[in-house]
Amino acid sequence: MSTISPDIVTNSTEEVAECSRNETYDFNRYALIVYVGTPIAVAGVICNWILFRLFTKSKSTKSPALYLLLLAVLDLLMDLLYIPFFTVDALAIYHKNEFLYHIWHDYAMFVFGLSRLVQFASTYIILCATIERFIVVAEINSLDFLISSTGRFVTIGITFLGVAILRLPAFFEYFITYRPDCPLYENYDYTPILASWEHYQMFNFYVMTVLHIFVPFALLLMLNISIVVVTKRKLTGIGWAVTTFIDMPKVSEMIRKESINSNKRRRDELRYATWTMVSIATTYLCCSSLSLFIGILENVWPENTLLFQEDGSSTKFYTFASDAVSILVAVNSLLRIVVYSLCSPNFRKQLVKEYPCLKCLTCGSDGDEKAKKIKEEKKLFIGYQNLIMGARVDML
């Protein structure tokens, strides 16, 4: 959702040198944007508004959920920007709607720049949240400041400042010029401002492609693998510790069991938070894979026949892939509420409490949690009974 279609170019003939050739929409592309992308964006707006409401009511500013609150706001903005930038453009050109066509060109560059800024910020908020989760799981005490309330605000402030500085030039890449002497739907030119500078083109490659795609992709991949490995080792260690107590006296066994259960809620909260962050980063990586692939083709093999035809126009693959990248951004933001519902029992309870109509999304998970809790309570109760009667706990 952060690129202007490569089909918007200026004709090279002398007779119509000042007129531009507009991007075209066949039915397949129109259906992809309007019938697939738009409903996803609308659903994303609704779901992220729900997330925003829930996080603002749960004192998120003093917990790691602050990152999730900001992510909900950024996702909401991205979904809102999809409709005026893509949907309106498709409707205007495919249906030859002159009013929408003129309106779209009035705000196109502002929405284009804002979408780049918001998407860039969203990527690094996910990265910041993942880094915090890694610090907690790996117990890196030297970085405790970063997981404090003050540290989060400092991290977020530096992140947004860096994003603003790096992405502000996107608002000034082109200037849209109206040409009254040109035919309708060919009477707007994209006059390059910063885009005409060779140094800016290099800057745009390293910022947009490297910092926006390659670096976060690589870091998130490594951090998620590390989080999973460390978490697995901890769980394995707990399992080994349980087996070493089996043959100890009955009183020691029950003291150990009582101690484990007293800390169970804290461990569960840590585990739920970890898997929530891992799932968020994983969905981002999956939805960004196509963008990564297109970015490699654009910058490593810019004259690839997979992207451009002999006359310089974009291939159907490139056009559809660019549209699909934008839709995947909306899909990624829509999946957040699903991830939270699957990974966090506390979130499910809060969601059902505030929005009872969404109970169908959580009933299966809640049932599993209740069954597991009943089973554990029953086992603990039987353990105490057998302790009183003098039976071995490991014989149950």
Side-chain angles (χ1 to χ4, degrees):
M1 118 179 260
S2 60
T3 57
I4 291 180
S5 173
D7 278 340
I8 303 179
V9 295
T10 303
N11 284 343
S12 58
T13 58
E14 253 180 55
E15 185 179 352
V16 287
E18 295 184 346
C19 297
S20 62
R21 184 178 65 206
N22 207 42
E23 60 179 350
T24 58
Y25 282 88
D26 57 15
F27 177 76
N28 292 331
R29 189 185 180 202
Y30 174 80
L32 179 65
I33 291 176
V34 176
Y35 298 142
V36 178
T38 303
I40 291 173
V42 172
V45 169
I46 296 172
C47 290
N48 282 291
W49 174 252
I50 291 174
L51 292 177
F52 173 75
R53 291 285 304 275
L54 291 177
F55 288 137
T56 51
K57 291 182 178 180
S58 61
K59 299 179 180 179
S60 300
T61 56
K62 296 182 180 180
S63 72
L66 174 61
Y67 290 116
L68 304 185
L69 172 61
L70 292 176
L71 194 56
V73 173
L74 294 171
D75 286 341
L76 178 63
L77 285 174
M78 275 194 291
D79 289 326
L80 285 171
L81 291 172
Y82 181 94
I83 297 172
F85 194 72
F86 288 99
T87 307
V88 172
D89 184 48
L91 291 171
I93 295 177
Y94 187 78
H95 293 289
K96 303 297 182 183
N97 188 307
E98 185 176 352
F99 173 75
L100 292 179
Y101 178 74
H102 290 300
I103 289 293
W104 186 87
H105 284 89
D106 286 340
Y107 63 70
M109 285 310 304
F110 173 76
V111 174
F112 170 71
L114 186 60
S115 68
R116 280 195 166 187
L117 192 149
V118 170
Q119 196 172 348
F120 198 54
S122 175
T123 300
Y124 276 87
I125 288 297
I126 294 174
L127 184 58
C128 289
T130 305
I131 291 173
E132 174 170 320
R133 183 50 40 192
F134 176 73
I135 293 172
V136 171
V137 171
E139 299 179 355
I140 305 175
N141 297 327
S142 59
L143 298 177
D144 279 349
F145 173 74
L146 295 178
I147 62 177
S148 65
S149 296
T150 304
R152 289 189 198 99
F153 283 109
V154 171
T155 301
I156 291 168
I158 294 174
T159 300
F160 277 118
L161 179 62
V163 168
I165 293 173
L166 293 172
R167 286 290 81 198
L168 189 62
F171 290 90
F172 307 100
E173 288 188 10
Y174 294 91
F175 178 75
I176 300 180
T177 306
Y178 176 63
R179 305 294 186 182
D181 54 324
C182 289
L184 185 61
Y185 304 112
E186 295 181 8
N187 50 358
Y188 284 97
D189 280 348
Y190 291 81
T191 306
I193 304 176
L194 294 179
S196 62
W197 294 4
E198 183 179 351
H199 293 296
Y200 179 76
Q201 293 174 9
M202 294 177 61
F203 164 82
N204 201 37
F205 167 74
Y206 286 110
V207 172
M208 191 60 192
T209 306
V210 176
L211 286 182
H212 188 189
I213 300 176
F214 295 120
V215 171
F217 194 98
L219 288 177
L220 286 172
L221 187 61
M222 290 187 293
L223 286 170
N224 274 276
I225 292 174
S226 301
I227 289 171
V228 171
V229 169
V230 172
T231 303
K232 186 177 180 180
R233 285 179 179 174
K234 285 189 173 184
L235 292 176
T236 303
I238 292 173
W240 176 84
V242 170
T243 60
T244 59
F245 277 96
I246 287 179
D247 293 326
M248 293 185 69
K250 294 178 286 295
V251 175
S252 298
E253 170 70 10
M254 295 315 300
I255 291 174
R256 177 200 61 79
K257 200 174 192 69
E258 189 175 84
S259 176
I260 289 176
N261 279 276
S262 65
N263 292 323
K264 183 178 183 301
R265 178 176 297 179
R266 178 178 171 275
R267 294 199 317 272
D268 283 348
E269 288 177 355
L270 180 63
R271 186 172 69 251
Y272 294 142
T274 299
W275 289 116
T276 298
M277 205 59 248
V278 168
S279 300
I280 290 173
T282 301
T283 54
Y284 168 81
L285 292 173
C286 292
C287 293
S288 299
S289 296
L290 180 59
S291 177
L292 178 67
F293 175 68
I294 296 298
I296 293 173
L297 289 180
E298 286 176 336
N299 295 283
V300 179
W301 297 288
E303 297 181 1
N304 196 306
T305 55
L306 193 62
L307 302 182
F308 298 104
Q309 298 176 358
E310 293 181 358
D311 61 355
S313 60
S314 300
T315 61
K316 285 188 175 182
F317 167 80
Y318 191 22
T319 301
F320 276 94
S322 299
D323 293 334
V325 166
S326 303
I327 293 174
L328 285 174
V329 172
V331 170
N332 185 34
S333 66
L334 177 61
L335 289 176
R336 307 271 194 238
I337 194 170
V338 178
V339 168
Y340 300 151
S341 298
L342 292 175
C343 296
S344 175
N346 290 334
F347 176 83
R348 289 197 295 270
K349 293 176 183 177
Q350 190 179 2
L351 181 65
V352 172
K353 181 180 178 182
E354 294 291 333
Y355 302 94
C357 59
L358 298 177
K359 190 174 182 179
C360 59
L361 295 176
T362 64
C363 57
S365 300
D366 286 340
D368 293 340
E369 287 292 328
K370 289 179 181 178
K372 185 178 179 182
K373 185 176 181 181
I374 292 172
K375 184 178 179 181
E376 289 176 350
E377 289 176 351
K378 183 178 179 182
K379 185 175 180 181
L380 183 61
F381 175 72
I382 293 175
Y384 274 110
Q385 276 195 327
N386 282 275
L387 175 62
I388 294 172
M389 300 298 293
R392 280 174 58 96
V393 176
D394 59 314
M395 293 176 64
L396 297 177

